[in-house]
Amino acid sequence: MWRAGSQTWYKLHHLSKAGKLCVPAINVNDSVTKQKFDNLYCCRESILDSLKKTADIMFGGKQVVVCGYGEVGKGCSAALKAMGSVVYVTEIDPICALQACMDGFRLTKLGDVVRQVDMVITCTGNKNVVVREHMDLMKNGCVVCNMGRSNTEIDVSSLRTPELVWQHVRAQVDHIIWPDGRRIVLLAEGRVLNLSSSTVPIYVLSITATTQALALIELFNAPEGRYKQDVYLLPKKLDEYVASLHLHTFDAHLTELTDEQAKYMGLSKNGPFKPSYYR
Ligand SMILES: NC(=O)c1ccc[n+]([C@@H]2O[C@H](COP(=O)([O-])OP(=O)(O)OC[C@H]3O[C@@H](n4cnc5c(N)ncnc54)[C@H](O)[C@@H]3O)[C@@H](O)[C@H]2O)c1
């Protein structure tokens, strides 16, 4: 069972392709319940809390660039837009880029807006998305933080040079001061901001932990030969089960398919209700 970002998925598949994966693996990160709650909804809530606690920033009218419009980026962008920030998005994938456009965000390149924005947030799972050349151009007081992969997205090591002064302001907040007096506000030294300075709601943890537990039980109980030394998704039925276990907290009531409807749709009345690729 594997709970990690999509970049880890590539590594697992690489191992599998090379015949080096010793056991079956379930990629829990890509199960819908994990992605939507841990990545999207959790980040949508915790980005604001994290920024308030660390930078004590007012969001209305601030210009923000969110790098990466996957689940984490979508959550962060939605939260900041709702607070009245002007949000720019950067993407490499045309599909996510188009989604950003349809959601009303300005798709741009970091280099094109980096001089004007008040905040830069990385959410890509990639490395060196914000590099020294970008930070050299940022305006005084620009807040730089990461909600994606720890330690890799912002090239923090490039800031540890003799001409830049580091001023530790409080926990998770450093000011990096350029020789002309201009400073950027670096949060959590480029580590994952919300994990460093906010809390993860117990509800989200419950969903993620249930997904993980069910994946382990599935692997343990699976008959010999069902899973080979390869990477699998959590069966859709189990993903749906995780969601259904959490519905009661909203006093939510599911509609049941009639026999006629189930037959018409070609579905079992107990699910799965969607194909495995459905997001
Ligand atoms: N902070 C948290 O609480 C939290 C929660 C879940 C996941 N994560 C981490 O956040 C990262 C992103 O997760 P996700 O689920 O959104 O992944 P994702 O794959 O859905 O989204 C990442 C997006 O970034 C884009 N991207 C990649 N390189 C880019 C670049 N150089 N510039 C612009 N865009 C680029 C990709 O095309 C993709 O759309 C992962 O590292 C994951 O582990 C953080």
Side-chain angles (χ1 to χ4, degrees):
M1 183 202 55
W2 200 275
R3 178 205 179 278
S6 48
Q7 63 286 343
T8 322
W9 177 88
Y10 293 118
K11 284 180 194 152
L12 269 186
H13 273 277
H14 186 72
L15 277 179
S16 166
K17 264 191 175 167
K20 289 184 181 163
L21 195 63
C22 322
V23 289
I26 291 186
N27 168 15
V28 166
N29 185 63
D30 286 350
S31 52
V32 182
T33 40
K34 194 274 170 189
Q35 272 202 342
K36 296 293 176 205
F37 286 85
D38 197 348
N39 303 26
L40 176 67
Y41 299 126
C42 181
C43 291
R44 192 175 70 180
E45 301 215 3
S46 57
I47 182 66
L48 300 179
D49 181 41
S50 307
L51 287 167
K52 275 280 180 218
K53 276 188 181 144
T54 50
D56 194 18
I57 200 163
M58 191 162 175
F59 301 108
K62 290 286 186 316
Q63 296 197 46
V64 185
V65 57
V66 174
C67 302
Y69 200 67
E71 301 295 336
V72 174
K74 286 182 174 81
C76 294
S77 304
L80 289 158
K81 184 182 181 186
M83 290 301 292
S85 298
V86 178
V87 182
Y88 301 93
V89 168
T90 73
E91 249 302 338
I92 53 159
D93 170 1
I95 297 177
C96 292
L98 191 58
Q99 287 180 311
C101 295
M102 291 301 290
D103 289 339
F105 298 107
R106 296 297 305 270
L107 193 88
T108 186
K109 292 183 181 183
L110 180 57
D112 292 346
V113 287
V114 75
R115 290 171 190 274
Q116 73 199 53
V117 291
D118 303 287
M119 229 185 301
V120 179
I121 304 173
T122 53
C123 311
T124 69
N126 207 336
K127 66 184 289 198
N128 291 341
V129 176
V130 176
V131 292
R132 175 68 187 265
E133 288 73 34
H134 295 126
M135 295 185 273
D136 281 338
L137 297 174
M138 287 172 186
K139 72 181 190 190
N140 187 38
C142 183
V143 174
V144 184
C145 64
N146 169 45
M147 286 286 286
R149 187 163 174 74
S150 194
N151 290 331
T152 63
E153 304 217 17
I154 302 166
D155 184 9
V156 173
S157 61
S158 72
L159 296 173
R160 299 197 188 276
T161 52
E163 78 280 15
L164 299 184
V165 175
W166 280 62
Q167 193 178 73
H168 187 62
V169 179
R170 54 182 171 276
Q172 316 299 348
V173 184
D174 289 284
H175 285 185
I176 320 297
I177 307 167
W178 266 251
D180 63 0
R182 188 179 53 88
R183 58 181 69 202
I184 66 167
V185 181
L186 177 66
L187 302 183
E189 290 185 63
R191 295 183 302 274
V192 185
L193 179 64
N194 58 339
L195 300 187
S196 307
S197 54
S198 181
T199 51
V200 177
I202 197 78
Y203 192 71
V204 170
L205 283 182
S206 169
I207 288 175
T208 303
T210 309
T211 314
Q212 293 173 359
L214 286 178
L216 280 175
I217 292 167
E218 170 69 13
L219 285 174
F220 186 77
N221 284 340
E224 190 81 27
R226 177 182 291 172
Y227 294 111
K228 312 210 167 23
Q229 289 158 0
D230 206 344
V231 187
Y232 297 88
L233 277 179
L234 192 70
K236 184 57 114 194
K237 204 171 159 109
L238 291 184
D239 226 348
E240 290 174 354
Y241 182 53
V242 176
S244 68
L245 286 175
H246 289 84
L247 273 177
H248 70 94
T249 47
F250 296 108
D251 190 26
H253 305 277
L254 269 182
T255 301
E256 284 171 24
L257 283 171
T258 63
D259 290 336
E260 185 195 23
Q261 287 171 336
K263 198 170 166 206
Y264 179 72
M265 301 285 283
L267 295 172
S268 154
K269 286 176 80 174
N270 301 319
F273 300 101
K274 295 287 187 331
S276 58
Y277 54 78
Y278 182 84
R279 286 291 177 258

